[in-house]
Amino acid sequence: MRLTLNRRETELTPAPLERLSDTLRAQGLTGVRVSCSEGECGSCTVLIDGRPVTSCLMLAAQAEGTSVETIECDDPATAALQQAFIEEQGFQCGFCTAGFILTARAFLARTPDPSEDEVREALSGSICRCGAYPFITRAVLKAAASLRGAA
Amino acid sequence: MTISFDPTEHDHVGKPLPVRDAREKVSGRLRYANDLALAGMVHGALVRSPHAHAKVLRVDATEALALPGVVGVLTHEDTPRTVWDGCWFNYRGPALDGHARFAGDEVAAVAATTPEIARAAAALIRVEYEVLPAVLTAEAAGATGAEPVRDEGNLREPYVAEWGDLAAGEAEADHILHAVIDHPSQQMATIGRNACLADWEGDRVTVWTGSQTPSELKTGLAMALDIPQSKVRVQALPTGSSFGQWWSNNFMMITALLARKIGRPVKIELSNAECFATVKRRHKELSTGRIGVTEDGRITFLEIDHVMDNGGYGFKNDVGFFCVDNWGRAESGRCTVRAASTNLVTAGCMRGVGDVTLGNCVERLCDMAAERLGLDPVEFRLSHQLRTGEPLRHIMGHDVPEVAQARSDSKAFRAKVPADWPEPFVLSSGSTAEILREGAAAFGWDQRFVGWGKPNHCDGEIRRAVGVGTGIHCCGVELEGGTAATVRVNPDGSVKLHASVGRHGSGAETTQVQVAAEALGVTWDMIEMETGDTDSCPWSHGSIASNTMYRTGFATVSAAKDAKRQILEVAARNLFNCDPDDLDIRQNLVHRRTRPDNERYTIAEVLNAVRSDALGQFSTVIGRPTEAMPPSTTFARHFAAHFVEVEADVGTGEIRLLDYLACQDSGTVVNPHVLMNQVIGGAICGAGFALHEELHFHPETGAVMNDGFLDYKVLRSADFPARTQVIFGNSHDSVGPYGARGAGEAPIAAPVPAICQAVFNAIGCWVDLPMTPERVIAALDRLGHTPH
Ligand code: FES
Ligand code: FES
């Protein structure tokens, strides 16, 4: 099947019922973290045509013809979020981090100037068991400000 | 935010430096165990018992072995009967012994070329069982004629801490109050699943897995495999969130055994359901307590009977109930912990063990007493909680002869302790006093607390009220001792710190480097740290019991100072021609103390001067701890005081957290960023326990029924207040590195009593845990009227 993976035309041959998360991880994209495998935690989030999707619930075949982006994709908004997550320490163990950053990236694309509560709500599909939420929220607000400044 | 010292006196300690692996974490490049693969590796899957309790009569793997891709099968027949012990009695048992002690217990394992084939093969292995009666509660475990879960019997020796004259305390009390609190079992509910890889070269095995306790895992593997420790190398990797889940776990032993049996590297990756239902959890704990107070507010006695279940393989007889220390001004007390084995998944130390549960009972009793007397809960804590220098009521290992001896002859014992160290058997530094006072002021407690059982705001069915709770935990356990670290300075002046700690998000890989850099006088970019390789790191307890900063940090600083001494000796002899004591190192440069800007050499220059040293030394310096950390002489604790405002809807029973202030006294703050994260992370996990978290066990099989995030609710981003604040206390410990103590566990203990109290103040009654809407409504129904 053909798709755009991290902005490159790519040809993949997943097994018939393979989940997208497994296909991507098999490509060496370790930033696609799989935790719950049931769509509840968000750690496996990737962007499909710019929308956040839990890749553990999606069949790889469904991604045919789409543009799939992972944390490994070079992107200014991702970079701004990564920098802000480092500065605000928006993580502890780091397992959930890529999922939060990609969810936040899609959210900021729609809502460039969010309130704190909007950020907290927008990220509530994901779980950070370490409980870094307040620092994640700050990081997203900080990245939003820097992206607005850059725009 | 207050910080406990003048940060300008330090180059690294006290600085909010970004954690060492931050870039790897945000880029998805950090390697967890499930990211790892080995050449020629095959995949393992586990066969698990469907029964709570059963003997394995026969394992028939014929069909499984016939499946294309299957490489081999491991059963109890291939497994040494040696028992392996997890640290602090979190596990005791052989890796496989043909006896299933809970539904989900491992009975066999199979290896195949892909994980899918391995799982399919596991389903084809026919196991014939003799089903035994199941013991599903601690109460049933103690009943006469109860089926033994383990050869040692079901009941552990009761663990008792007592002080003062309880009978007199009871006689003197004007009021006696009772509480019974049923604490459900909390699941670590890890994000990130663990995997284990094992590879044998001859008779030597290397194991890669996520673990907080690399050395303990090496010890456990040597026991389970019945081989010398020199034949085992553990390469511990970062875990996802852990909270005590990933120490040494039985599936790791099985991975190594399976790899040995089939002669190929094996990887076993647990599913999320396996992480939830087959590894570990917090004990189910039933606390029954009484407290006696006089009209003028003295606590004359405190008595608690605490029953906990160990599940199938836990072997603890106590939970580290430092909460009793915290309320140690009570004039007399007795705290009894009774532990029983059950046919439920193994229970063990989850973050804040004991202080989350038993601590909640102690705090509840004290709150009930304060309410009866009409006293303010902050003031009541200030009056009755222990202060620096006061004797501890409960000494871990008080029944160990050498500890008993040391206590009875404390003068002679004192003489062995460095003069600037605290008195033994008393609280070494810090307390809740300062953080309670500062917290109350910052929170506006006096304005927002309007009396027991009274909301400060009512609007229709909405009631708002505040609560305060305190938490405490150890900083490593006194008797554990033995933790070491080494500091190797290379010929180019770069440094490698070897200390075996966990990488589960607590920032130890960063804060250890900070204290090492400070002690050695180098910039922190010069230091790399190895945390997980047991071939290079000396033995250590690992990151458990909040010991990493206090104990490993002590060893790290001591090793760094030893390396520094060696460098200065070389420099003094070869370059300065002076006494080493006249020299110092700062910012990687060796210089005279009195004239730092005059003559300066890099560490590389000093070490290269050694190449021609007539004494024939080497140009690599290895520092090791020179000061022992006597395990039983210094008693450090860390403290939390949390303030919360909740909103209760008496119509729906829903509780919302509106505002949160977490105050923490950990002594010197080595990295404020890291500590804030620990404090808030603890608060959120504790709040989850107060409000939602509870494992459900099947009534017949004891199997965990809510084995995933779909049915096991944890707090999410919008569930924790945006208004969240952290305040650090100002104490300094004369033993801990630069005055620091432990950090990670008191913050999960304080939120439970704080939120319970706030809910009580909002709706006028105590609610069972977790305080789900149904339980809130049930409590209101028992109260018989809508409050206020
Ligand atoms: S792993 Fe996909 S949502 Fe949890
Ligand atoms: S950082 Fe550990 S789960 Fe979020």
Side-chain angles (χ1 to χ4, degrees), chain B residues 307-339:
Chain B
V307 178
M308 62 189 239
D309 88 302
N310 271 317
Y313 294 92
F315 208 69
K316 288 176 74 66
N317 73 339
D318 72 277
V319 277
F321 43 104
F322 307 96
C323 48
V324 171
D325 291 336
N326 203 24
W327 289 91
R329 287 182 169 186
E331 290 161 21
S332 69
R334 183 193 297 132
C335 178
T336 309
V337 179
R338 294 184 287 124

Side-chain angles (χ1 to χ4, degrees), chain A residues 25 30-31 33 35 37-38 40 71 82-83 87 89 91-95 116 120 124-125 127 129-130 133, chain B residues 23 25-26 28 30 32 34-35 187-188 192-193 241 673 677 681 693 709-710 715-718 720 722:
Chain A
R25 284 180 61 78
T30 53
R33 305 278 182 207
S35 187
S37 271
E38 54 185 13
E40 279 294 312
I71 192 76
Q82 287 172 323
Q83 189 54 36
E87 287 166 13
Q89 220 176 299
F91 49 79
Q92 288 191 44
C93 76
F95 204 96
E116 185 168 70
R120 289 165 64 238
S124 281
I127 294 172
R129 183 57 164 162
C130 295
Y133 299 127
Chain B
R23 187 54 68 183
K25 281 173 176 164
V26 300
L30 191 71
Y32 301 92
N34 60 356
D35 295 321
Q187 174 49 246
M188 288 79 167
R193 339 146 146 197
S241 67
H673 251 149
N677 232 323
E693 296 186 36
F709 290 107
L710 213 50
L715 294 197
R716 292 169 185 258
S717 168
F720 201 73

Side-chain angles (χ1 to χ4, degrees), chain A residues 18-19 22 25 28-43 56 70-73 78-101 116-138 142, chain B residues 17-19 21-32 34-35 116 186-193 238-243 269 271-272 350-351 503-506 671 673-674 676-678 680-682 684-685 688 693 707-724 726:
Chain A
E18 194 170 296
R19 294 167 186 237
D22 291 337
R25 284 180 61 78
L29 299 169
T30 53
V32 184
R33 305 278 182 207
V34 178
S35 187
C36 74
S37 271
E38 54 185 13
E40 279 294 312
C41 76
S43 71
C56 70
T70 70
I71 192 76
E72 285 87 355
C73 184
T78 299
L81 281 157
Q82 287 172 323
Q83 189 54 36
F85 268 65
I86 292 174
E87 287 166 13
E88 296 297 325
Q89 220 176 299
F91 49 79
Q92 288 191 44
C93 76
F95 204 96
C96 69
T97 313
F100 271 98
I101 288 178
E116 185 168 70
D117 282 342
E118 284 173 320
V119 174
R120 289 165 64 238
E121 285 297 337
L123 298 180
S124 281
S126 297
I127 294 172
C128 174
R129 183 57 164 162
C130 295
Y133 299 127
F135 309 100
I136 293 173
T137 304
R138 278 188 222 173
K142 187 178 209 174
Chain B
L17 297 168
V19 294
D21 48 14
R23 187 54 68 183
E24 287 69 30
K25 281 173 176 164
V26 300
S27 64
R29 282 197 307 265
L30 191 71
R31 290 280 184 273
Y32 301 92
N34 60 356
D35 295 321
E116 294 74 25
Q186 187 178 24
Q187 174 49 246
M188 288 79 167
T190 56
I191 282 289
R193 339 146 146 197
T239 65
S241 67
S242 182
F243 303 161
E269 179 173 333
S271 70
N272 189 64
M350 180 175 169
R351 188 175 189 181
R503 291 180 63 190
H504 45 297
S506 66
N671 185 323
H673 251 149
V674 168
M676 275 204 284
N677 232 323
Q678 283 274 294
I680 294 294
I684 291 178
C685 191
E693 296 186 36
D707 59 0
F709 290 107
L710 213 50
D711 305 310
Y712 187 94
K713 293 292 173 208
V714 300
L715 294 197
R716 292 169 185 258
S717 168
D719 300 325
F720 201 73
R723 284 162 67 197
T724 295
V726 177

Side-chain angles (χ1 to χ4, degrees), chain B residues 64-330:
Chain B
L65 285 165
L67 199 67
V70 171
V71 181
V73 167
L74 177 87
T75 72
H76 61 283
E77 314 234 313
D78 312 305
T79 303
R81 279 308 137 79
T82 49
V83 164
W84 73 271
D85 271 307
C87 50
W88 287 110
F89 309 104
N90 270 240
Y91 199 96
R92 173 171 287 184
L96 292 174
D97 68 347
H99 186 169
R101 293 179 180 82
F102 63 88
D105 195 2
E106 300 96 355
V107 294
V110 52
T113 47
T114 70
E116 294 74 25
I117 300 175
R119 279 196 292 273
L124 291 176
I125 293 179
R126 311 270 167 244
V127 184
E128 214 176 291
Y129 294 97
E130 175 197 343
V131 176
L132 302 171
V135 171
L136 296 181
T137 61
E139 197 188 0
T144 12
E147 183 73 15
V149 175
R150 316 177 50 94
D151 294 347
E152 304 93 332
N154 289 345
L155 303 182
R156 306 281 71 79
E157 198 58 28
Y159 185 94
V160 184
E162 55 187 334
W163 69 96
D165 183 341
L166 204 71
E170 188 161 350
E172 253 191 283
D174 296 320
H175 305 273
I176 295 179
L177 298 114
H178 303 250
V180 181
I181 307 182
D182 198 353
H183 294 101
S185 180
Q186 187 178 24
Q187 174 49 246
M188 288 79 167
T190 56
I191 282 289
R193 339 146 146 197
N194 208 350
C196 182
L197 296 84
D199 188 18
W200 290 79
E201 262 181 281
D203 59 354
R204 193 163 192 277
V205 67
T206 304
V207 169
W208 293 260
T209 189
S211 174
Q212 295 176 236
T213 58
S215 310
E216 292 278 8
L217 175 55
K218 178 171 95 167
T219 312
L221 281 159
M223 292 166 102
L225 300 164
D226 201 14
I227 56 176
Q229 291 183 17
S230 57
K231 305 278 188 198
V232 181
R233 178 181 194 179
V234 170
Q235 303 253 38
L237 300 165
T239 65
S241 67
S242 182
F243 303 161
Q245 176 95 316
W246 309 120
W247 289 5
S248 11
N249 307 108
N250 201 46
F251 88 99
M252 300 169 185
M253 314 298 154
I254 294 175
T255 310
L257 286 159
L258 183 58
R260 179 162 72 180
K261 168 99 187 275
I262 64 169
R264 285 177 71 170
V266 173
K267 176 179 187 177
I268 295 183
E269 179 173 333
L270 297 183
S271 70
N272 189 64
E274 287 177 303
C275 294
F276 261 77
T278 69
V279 182
K280 203 175 168 185
R281 63 183 165 90
R282 194 187 293 288
H283 311 91
K284 279 160 73 77
E285 298 173 50
L286 179 67
S287 310
T288 308
R290 298 192 308 147
I291 191 170
V293 282
T294 58
E295 205 53 61
D296 60 356
R298 283 160 49 216
I299 300 179
T300 59
F301 81 95
L302 184 64
E303 184 182 40
I304 297 186
D305 185 61
H306 190 76
V307 178
M308 62 189 239
D309 88 302
N310 271 317
Y313 294 92
F315 208 69
K316 288 176 74 66
N317 73 339
D318 72 277
V319 277
F321 43 104
F322 307 96
C323 48
V324 171
D325 291 336
N326 203 24
W327 289 91
R329 287 182 169 186

Side-chain angles (χ1 to χ4, degrees), chain B residues 113 278 437 463 630 689-690:
Chain B
T113 47
T278 69
R437 281 200 202 97
R463 309 277 182 276
F689 185 58

